[in-house]
Amino acid sequence: MNPLSPRARPAGWAPTPRPVRDAWAGAGFFATLCVVTALVDPTRPGRFPACPFRATTGFDCPGCGSLRALHELVHGHLAAAADYNLLLVAFLPCAAAVWLRAVTGRARPRALPKWSAPVTVIVLVVWAVIRNLPVLGGVLGA
């Protein structure tokens, strides 16, 4: 008998839904990223590649400082993490809530609303502009 056939499964066993598997795969990837950034300090030069946007333009991109912010979060320094990239620190609780909904089965697979991609792009562009304003004195810069 084929071990993958439905008759070979134990009673009561049901395959894991794809959104739950994807959520756990994403959590595993994020956990690996956290371990790497915890062990390798991104503030030391030469450890990670430089941001190509910042190297080209001299301005911070929306993601600049994310590795350093994650490094600080893993070590329990919330204020220092917010200083490196406030958007990442604000995004992580939202991502955790979405992850919990997917894992507990409360999120039904559905298409994203049509407005979600443009809103995401607008938020990232506005964040990039705000964090590079000289009026703020570089408070939000990476």
Side-chain angles (χ1 to χ4, degrees), residues 40-57:
V40 181
D41 187 3
T43 60
R44 301 177 100 183
R47 301 290 178 129
F48 292 98
C51 174
F53 183 82
R54 188 172 189 180
T56 306
T57 64

Side-chain angles (χ1 to χ4, degrees), residues 89-99:
V89 174
F91 169 75
L92 286 178
C94 299
V98 170
W99 181 82

Side-chain angles (χ1 to χ4, degrees), residues 18-124:
R18 185 172 180 194
V20 174
R21 282 194 320 260
D22 291 348
W24 279 107
F29 176 75
F30 184 69
T32 303
L33 182 63
C34 287
V35 168
V36 169
T37 56
L39 298 175
V40 181
D41 187 3
T43 60
R44 301 177 100 183
R47 301 290 178 129
F48 292 98
C51 174
F53 183 82
R54 188 172 189 180
T56 306
T57 64
F59 294 113
D60 290 336
C61 76
C64 277
S66 294
L67 280 176
R68 290 171 285 177
L70 188 58
H71 177 77
E72 295 297 334
L73 280 175
V74 169
H75 289 283
H77 306 127
L78 182 63
D83 190 39
Y84 282 124
N85 194 324
L86 184 61
L87 185 64
L88 175 77
V89 174
F91 169 75
L92 286 178
C94 299
V98 170
W99 181 82
L100 278 173
R101 285 181 54 92
V103 169
T104 59
R106 293 187 179 171
R108 291 184 299 273
R110 58 181 179 231
L112 291 173
K114 292 181 181 180
W115 52 264
S116 63
V119 167
T120 302
V121 170
I122 290 169
V123 166
L124 292 174

